[in-house]
Amino acid sequence: MAISVFDLFKIGIGPSSSHTVGPMHAASEFVGALRERDLLERVARIEVRLYGSLSATGAGHGTDRAIIMGLMGERPERIDPAIVGPCLEELFESQTLLLDSRWAIPFVWGRDMQWHEECLPHHPNAMTLIAHGHGSELYRNTFYSVGGGFVIDEQQAQAGDLDTDITALPYDFNTAAELLALCRMHSMRISELMMANEKAWRDEADIRAGLWRIWGAMRECVDNGVSHEGVLPGGLNVRRRARKLHQRLLATEDDTSLIASTFSAMDWVNVFALAVNEENAAGGRMVTAPTNGAAGIVPAVLHYYMKFQPDASERDVVDFLLTAGAVGILCKKNASISGAEVGCQGEVGSACAMAAAGLAEVMGASPAQVENAAEIGLEHNLGLTCDPVGGLVQVPCIERNAIAAVKAINAAQMALRGDGDHFISLDKVIRTMRDTGRDMQDKYKETSRGGLAVNAIEC
Ligand code: SF4
């Protein structure tokens, strides 16, 4: 399976890559299929069926709203988050959906948006879209949102063919051991090898410009996060914290004592991560990294590096993201980056490993040290369950990103103090994540039926 760094870092909207970005993509693909088959103007009604985790936590994650926007022809990378609220209000009032922004059909929420507890066989995040004509069914497809905004349809799932991209890469790797061997054999750093692979899709100037755009979107997200305040939507009454913390930090930047500087650096990391994840919870413009729920960790660590490393450069941003991407690819290929599949270890754990690897790379680590940094970052998130309170990507998600960002920095630091030789390999930790995810009860996999989601409400 060929995965590009741009598959892992995608610009979209919050609050969830698997529950918002993926379903919006699926709905927009569905509309594209109707268009291609010349069926659009024969559609009299659309039925949306949500299954498994999409049904259990879809309301809190905005899955229903994302699907509606996708049916209206919007795509996650283009949509202006500000239009979602007004469009939905209009739909509720008129009970009319403008399919592909041009074909008006009735949409009765209680009838046409259906929530099913059962799970479909191929993946816990499943949805079926059915287009009815006058008196007959015109077209249907089932989509699986497999994490990080990736979507496959029924045909691909049945063929067991999750490998939608068969691009031949010059330095293809499936495991960390293979990646390290290639680096050794060709005397390459991980970011160099990744750059060479990315050139299979686009030229170097486009890769650099694309990654710079990703970094720009991450910066914009932090800027938005530190300028908004108030209570996050959804009903939990969670207050935004990033803005206040940011203002306090700006006011105390002159204190240069060691303890103050250490605390201050950690505060900055927290502020960057909180800002991103608060924006995510509010449905703002985001970059999956590799998912939305865990989207604060990579930008927080990269912001930290860019703020505190005096000679940090544009080149470092590219190297950081390419290296983080290599680790994300390994997690996705050999375990999962989906909380609904393996719990939060797949989201926050993978993101922590990616950020640790990216930081180690730009700090001059050898490939073995980078692999060690990723391994430490992931190992200490093993077993982490997904239990978002109220089905919202707020508690524990927002704070968890800040904690994991600090952990990623420590992981990179520990790896840089060593020589790359270590006891457990990254491959073994990824395999353990996969096995632990398999053994984890479903109530801890993005269903909000266990853990904090249950106890927070009981308390
Ligand atoms: S608990 Fe983790 S995996 Fe679950 S929604 Fe929150 S960030 Fe995502």
Side-chain angles (χ1 to χ4, degrees):
M1 172 185 352
I3 304 176
S4 159
V5 70
F6 294 104
D7 293 326
L8 294 163
F9 298 120
K10 291 189 294 285
I11 299 175
I13 62 165
S16 166
S17 47
S18 55
H19 285 58
T20 317
V21 177
M24 194 186 293
H25 268 304
S28 120
E29 264 182 42
F30 183 77
V31 169
L34 291 175
R35 214 185 297 123
E36 272 168 30
R37 291 168 169 77
D38 267 338
L39 292 174
L40 208 62
E41 288 169 16
R42 289 173 53 201
V43 176
R45 181 162 87 85
I46 295 274
E47 194 181 327
V48 178
R49 295 180 185 168
L50 300 169
Y51 296 95
S53 173
L54 285 192
S55 167
T57 57
H61 287 52
T63 305
D64 44 3
R65 286 172 280 145
I67 291 171
I68 294 294
M69 297 314 295
L71 291 173
M72 290 173 83
E74 293 289 347
R75 293 190 63 83
E77 64 277 14
R78 286 195 314 246
I79 190 170
D80 172 2
I83 68 163
V84 178
C87 280
L88 265 289
E89 267 168 41
E90 165 73 29
L91 181 142
F92 282 130
E93 207 169 296
S94 64
Q95 300 207 333
T96 302
L97 168 67
L98 215 48
L99 197 59
D100 202 22
S101 301
R102 61 196 159 104
W103 184 246
I105 53 167
F107 194 90
V108 181
W109 202 268
R111 178 193 67 186
D112 297 327
M113 185 64 72
Q114 301 170 14
W115 309 81
H116 297 267
E117 265 194 30
E118 69 193 276
C119 281
L120 297 191
H122 300 296
H123 194 278
N125 292 333
M127 54 187 268
T128 298
L129 299 174
I130 306 167
H132 297 278
H134 294 282
S136 64
E137 186 178 305
L138 298 175
Y139 176 67
R140 76 163 65 197
N141 205 346
T142 293
F143 298 90
Y144 300 90
S145 180
V146 297
F150 290 83
V151 170
I152 56 167
D153 73 358
E154 186 63 31
Q155 208 183 353
Q156 290 166 314
Q158 278 190 9
D161 179 17
L162 309 189
D163 184 0
T164 50
D165 191 334
I166 50 163
T167 304
L169 303 179
Y171 302 104
D172 202 6
F173 58 90
N174 288 310
T175 64
E178 288 174 13
L179 173 63
L180 289 180
L182 285 167
C183 286
R184 245 187 332 268
M185 195 183 307
H186 300 283
S187 302
M188 283 172 137
R189 297 172 66 214
I190 291 178
S191 52
E192 285 174 325
L193 183 144
M194 282 292 291
M195 176 62 89
N197 279 350
E198 288 296 321
K199 285 187 197 165
W201 286 283
R202 39 186 82 76
D203 67 29
E204 184 164 338
D206 282 350
I207 297 163
R208 290 189 178 279
L211 290 173
W212 195 247
R213 234 186 341 271
I214 294 290
W215 170 231
M218 287 176 171
R219 276 183 309 173
E220 195 183 307
C221 187
V222 167
D223 290 346
N224 289 336
V226 296
S227 48
H228 292 144
E229 57 187 341
V231 170
L232 291 168
L236 284 184
N237 289 327
V238 173
R239 290 212 145 270
R240 285 179 180 257
R241 283 180 284 179
R243 183 167 194 264
K244 208 176 262 177
L245 182 54
H246 184 237
Q247 286 173 335
R248 196 173 307 154
L249 274 172
L250 292 175
T252 54
E253 265 195 316
D254 295 343
D255 187 348
T256 53
S257 67
L258 182 60
I259 183 97
S261 327
T262 310
F263 266 44
S264 157
M266 209 152 39
D267 273 338
W268 277 108
V269 177
N270 289 340
V271 108
F272 297 138
L274 295 176
V276 171
N277 289 87
E278 287 172 0
E279 274 305 291
N280 182 55
R285 162 90 40 230
M286 301 294 306
V287 177
T288 59
T291 64
N292 277 36
I297 299 160
V298 167
V301 175
L302 184 50
H303 270 84
Y304 163 80
Y305 175 79
M306 296 302 279
K307 179 171 176 60
F308 290 103
Q309 179 67 14
D311 54 1
S313 66
E314 185 172 333
R315 188 178 190 90
D316 290 338
V317 170
V318 171
D319 290 352
F320 185 112
L321 292 175
L322 286 170
T323 308
V327 172
I329 289 168
L330 289 170
C331 293
K332 176 152 178 58
K333 278 188 173 182
N334 298 297
S336 170
I337 55 169
S338 161
E341 252 182 305
V342 295
C344 195
Q345 53 175 356
E347 294 204 13
V348 161
S350 300
C352 182
M354 290 165 69
L359 181 60
E361 176 82 355
V362 293
M363 294 294 291
S366 65
Q369 286 171 313
V370 170
E371 184 262 0
N372 188 190
E375 176 269 316
I376 297 171
L378 184 55
E379 182 183 333
H380 303 289
N381 283 296
L382 285 177
L384 200 59
T385 58
C386 170
D387 51 0
V389 177
L392 298 165
V393 195
Q394 298 180 10
V395 181
C397 322
I398 297 172
E399 215 169 72
R400 184 168 286 174
N401 274 255
I403 298 295
V406 173
K407 203 185 273 189
I409 295 168
N410 198 16
Q413 168 111 332
M414 285 177 91
L416 281 158
R417 296 287 181 248
D419 59 7
D421 190 27
H422 54 285
F423 191 73
I424 305 254
S425 69
L426 176 59
D427 286 328
K428 284 183 183 157
V429 176
I430 293 176
R431 209 174 309 139
T432 306
M433 169 161 81
R434 183 199 62 196
D435 295 347
T436 306
R438 219 173 260 165
D439 294 341
M440 205 180 265
Q441 291 184 36
D442 283 349
K443 65 181 181 179
Y444 298 117
K445 296 187 205 172
E446 214 159 353
T447 56
S448 288
R449 295 197 187 109
L452 285 175
V454 173
N455 287 306
I457 305 299
E458 278 178 358
C459 292

